[in-house]
Every structure is written in structure tokens, then in C-alpha cells.
């Protein structure tokens, strides 16, 4: 009669070999998918870098184009009689000049246009926002003595719309006869186009987002409306002392002007892959975060992993 323990031992050998090969296959699969995850992150990092540089250039071009437009309009209006009206006794602006300014505002799709004298007194206003805060008066006076237009930062607090985010461009109006500054043209922007430009991506993505920031004391201040949370421009901020795991931490790196790819958490406390870089805006100190959620970045690898695990488990059960 065969030895019972020998039969058991002879039966365990194939099982032991099977378990060893199963463990080796599992380890190899784990290593493979970890490599695939790193490769997928590298691809996403290149995409984020390209999008970030594209957005930064689009923002720079947008403000440069706006500045050239404002300068050309101020020059044309000065030659068209606006300088003579400003240089004369205070009176109502001639109808033809009002019509010209209304056409300028309409064609630019702007939200406001102001004409000031050299003392920053309002002489004419058209559009949605036609008042000037004290900071605006200071910038207007500065524009009368500087060779280039003066541009404000993004701000809130205009007397006609205290909660509206705005940006103003102040351009001196020159008298063609004396070549002296006789007033200031203010082109007011409600930033609708800029915010749309920031959030429009060249690739379709359910989680991708761009965030414009700047330093504000000991915080990084969000300058634009966010894709997944509204009423955030000039309201949401992240302390510069925040740790790497603090929600929204990449915004502090962007506000400091740092360039790099980061794995962190966003303001929604979701795991993300982000690229930060400085932005040449109308004033120094702007930075940008372009980001995608890690779940989206790794989704193709996760789908392949789920399929592979399912098929492998089926074969293991069949073999057993």
C-alpha cells in the first residue's frame, strides 16, 4: 500500500511550484503597472507643460494687443478733436466724439471707457462701469507723466460695481499741436474674455483647469474664476506657509514664480498633477497653475490593470 505521507508530499510539489510562479507573475505585473503609471505621468507632465506655456503666451499676447489698441485709440481721438476739447474750458463732450467713443467701446466689447483730464477728474464715461476709485485716480495721474500706458492689477472695489473684478488701462492723450498730455483715456476690462481664455484648453479633459495667482501679503491670491467653484476671483487664497499636502498648495509655488511639475492636492482636496510657471501679465508677479486630477491621468493604466487582473484571476482559478 503506497505511503500516505509520500502521496501528500508528491501532491504538494505542483501546488508549491504553482504558488511560486503565481507570486512571481503578480510581482512582475505590479512592477509593469508601476512603470506604466510613471510613463503616463510623464506624458501628462509634457502635456501640462505645453498647455501652461501656451496659456502664458496667450495671456501675454492678449494684454499686449489690448495695450496697442488703447494707445492707437488715444492717438486717433487726440487727433480727432478730443485733445482740443480736453484742453478747452469744461463743457459737454461734442456729440461726434461721444459717438466715436461709443463705437470704440462696442467694437472692443469692453465694459467701460472713461476720459479724464490731467487732474484725474472724470470728464466723460461710457459703458457699464463709469466711476473711478481713489487707486484709479492715482494711476491716472501717473499715466500723465509716464511714456507708456499704465495698467492696473486685477482689482475689486469700483464704486459702480464693488464686487466686480476689473482691470484698467490708462493711456495719456496727447495734444497734436503742443505734443503735451491733456488728458487720460481709461479702457476698462471686466475680464470675461480673459477668464474664458484661461479656462479654454486645446485638449478635452473633464478635470483640467488653469489658475492665475499672485502674491498678496503672506498668501497666494486667486485672480480668476475657477472651473469648479464660482465667485472665487480675488476671494480665494492659500497661505504661503501651507505644507505640500495643504489643498491648493501649488498656487503658492506659482505665486513665488517657481517652475516645475508637482504631485499635490488642489483646492478641492483632490490628488492632482500640476505644472506651475510665471506669467508676463500687465503687472509683475503673476503665476499660473495648470493641473489635472491624477485619477484622470492614470485612468488608461487603471483600465488596463483592471482588465489584466480580471483575466489573470480567471486563469488562476481555472488552473487551481
Amino acid at each position: 500500500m503506497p505511503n500516505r505521507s509520500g502521496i501528500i508530499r508528491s501532491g504538494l510539489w505542483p501546488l508549491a511550484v504553482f504558488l511560486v510562479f503565481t507570486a512571481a507573475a503578480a510581482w512582475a505585473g505590479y512592477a509593469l503597472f508601476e512603470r506604466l503609471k510613471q510613463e503616463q505621468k510623464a506624458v501628462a507632465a509634457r502635456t501640462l507643460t505645453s498647455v501652461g506655456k501656451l496659456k502664458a503666451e496667450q495671456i501675454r499676447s492678449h494684454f499686449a494687443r489690448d495695450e496697442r489698441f488703447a494707445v492707437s485709440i488715444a492717438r486717433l481721438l487726440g487727433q480727432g478733436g478730443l485733445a482740443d476739447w480736453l484742453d478747452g474750458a469744461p463743457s459737454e463732450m461734442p456729440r461726434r466724439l461721444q459717438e466715436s467713443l461709443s463705437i470704440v467701446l462696442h467694437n472692443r466689447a469692453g465694459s467701460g471707457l472713461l476720459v479724464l483730464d490731467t487732474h484725474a477728474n472724470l470728464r466723460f464715461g461710457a459703458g457699464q462701469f463709469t466711476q473711478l476709485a481713489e487707486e484709479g485716480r492715482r494711476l491716472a495721474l501717473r499715466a500723465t507723466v509716464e511714456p507708456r500706458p499704465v495698467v492696473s492689477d486685477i482689482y475689486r472695489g469700483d464704486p459702480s460695481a464693488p464686487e466686480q473684478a476689473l482691470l484698467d488701462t490708462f493711456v495719456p492723450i496727447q495734444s497734436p499741436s503742443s505734443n503735451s498730455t491733456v488728458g487720460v483715456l481709461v479702457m476698462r476690462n471686466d475680464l470675461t474674455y480673459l477668464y474664458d481664455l484661461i479656462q479654454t484648453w486645446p485638449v478635452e479633459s473633464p478635470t483640467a483647469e488653469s489658475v492665475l495667482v499672485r502674491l498678496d501679503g503672506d498668501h497666494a491670491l486667486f485672480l480668476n474664476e475657477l472651473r469648479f467653484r464660482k465667485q472665487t476671483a480675488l476671494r480665494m487664497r492659500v497661505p504661503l506657509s501651507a505644507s505640500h499636502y495643504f489643498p491648493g498648495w501649488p498656487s503658492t509655488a506659482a505665486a513665488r514664480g517657481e517652475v516645475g511639475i508637482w504631485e499635490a492636492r488642489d483646492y478641492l482636496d483632490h490628488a492632482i498633477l500640476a505644472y506651475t510657471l510665471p506669467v508676463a501679465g500687465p503687472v509683475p508677479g503673476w503665476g499660473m497653475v495648470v493641473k489635472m486630477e491624477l485619477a484622470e491621468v492614470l485612468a488608461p493604466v487603471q483600465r488596463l490593470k483592471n482588465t489584466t487582473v480580471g483575466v489573470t484571476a480567471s486563469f488562476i482559478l481555472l488552473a487551481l
Side-chain angles (χ1 to χ4, degrees):
M1 184 175 180
N3 187 286
R4 185 174 181 181
S5 61
I7 294 176
I8 293 175
R9 285 195 300 271
S10 64
L12 289 177
W13 270 109
L15 179 60
V17 172
F18 173 78
L19 292 176
V20 168
F21 275 101
T22 300
W27 180 88
Y30 172 80
L32 172 63
F33 282 110
E34 284 300 307
R35 179 180 175 183
L36 290 177
K37 286 168 64 175
Q38 296 307 315
E39 291 177 352
Q40 194 68 25
K41 287 180 183 179
V43 171
R46 290 194 292 271
T47 300
L48 290 171
T49 301
S50 298
V51 171
K53 292 179 178 178
L54 172 65
K55 288 291 151 195
E57 176 58 25
Q58 287 178 332
I59 292 171
R60 187 203 65 78
S61 298
H62 167 69
F63 284 112
R65 186 169 57 249
D66 265 14
E67 184 175 309
R68 290 194 300 268
F69 178 80
V71 169
S72 63
I73 293 301
R75 185 179 297 118
L76 289 173
L77 291 172
Q79 295 171 352
L82 186 62
D84 294 335
W85 172 72
L86 280 169
D87 206 20
S91 62
E92 183 180 359
M93 179 181 287
R95 176 62 59 183
R96 62 182 181 81
L97 289 176
Q98 293 187 33
E99 292 174 353
S100 298
L101 289 172
S102 297
I103 292 172
V104 168
L105 186 62
H106 175 74
N107 290 338
R108 182 176 174 271
S111 56
L113 183 152
L114 311 177
V115 177
L116 314 175
D117 62 21
T118 53
H119 300 291
N121 297 313
L122 180 64
R123 296 285 297 275
F124 176 80
Q128 188 175 359
F129 308 110
T130 57
Q131 298 185 45
L132 198 65
E134 192 58 36
E135 174 65 10
R137 289 174 56 84
R138 187 186 68 81
L139 293 176
L141 292 173
R142 180 178 148 198
T144 62
V145 296
E146 293 207 2
R148 295 192 55 183
V150 175
V151 184
S152 75
D153 208 327
I154 296 174
Y155 72 95
R156 285 189 294 119
D158 180 81
S160 56
E163 297 304 312
Q164 175 70 44
L166 298 170
L167 183 144
D168 297 335
T169 302
F170 300 81
V171 186
I173 301 171
Q174 302 289 330
S175 171
S177 57
S178 62
N179 200 31
S180 60
T181 299
V182 295
V184 177
L185 175 69
V186 184
M187 303 294 288
R188 179 156 287 174
N189 192 327
D190 68 0
L191 304 173
T192 299
Y193 178 83
L194 175 66
Y195 289 165
D196 290 342
L197 177 68
I198 291 172
Q199 296 298 0
T200 301
W201 276 50
V203 294
E204 186 175 350
S205 168
T207 67
E209 186 176 25
S210 306
V211 180
L212 196 63
V213 297
R214 67 169 168 83
L215 288 177
D216 183 41
D218 57 355
H219 287 76
L221 179 66
F222 288 36
L223 300 180
N224 64 301
E225 292 296 330
L226 301 177
R227 180 179 179 184
F228 304 108
R229 187 174 293 176
K230 302 306 178 185
Q231 301 298 316
T232 51
L234 302 177
R235 292 181 175 87
M236 184 176 289
R237 60 187 67 224
V238 175
L240 296 179
S241 59
S243 69
H244 186 90
Y245 302 101
F246 190 88
W249 172 85
S251 61
T252 67
R256 291 188 177 101
E258 297 179 24
V259 179
I261 292 290
W262 318 94
E263 284 190 46
R265 306 194 75 80
D266 65 2
Y267 61 90
L268 298 172
D269 203 20
H270 295 169
I272 59 167
L273 191 67
Y275 175 66
T276 62
L277 73 164
V279 174
V283 295
W286 284 11
M288 175 173 280
V289 181
V290 289
K291 63 185 184 69
M292 297 172 65
E293 289 189 10
L294 270 176
E296 179 186 355
V297 171
L298 299 178
V301 177
Q302 188 62 45
R303 287 194 295 269
L304 178 61
K305 181 179 179 180
N306 292 341
T307 302
T308 303
V309 169
V311 172
T312 303
S314 299
F315 274 111
I316 290 174
L317 290 175
L318 181 62
L320 283 174

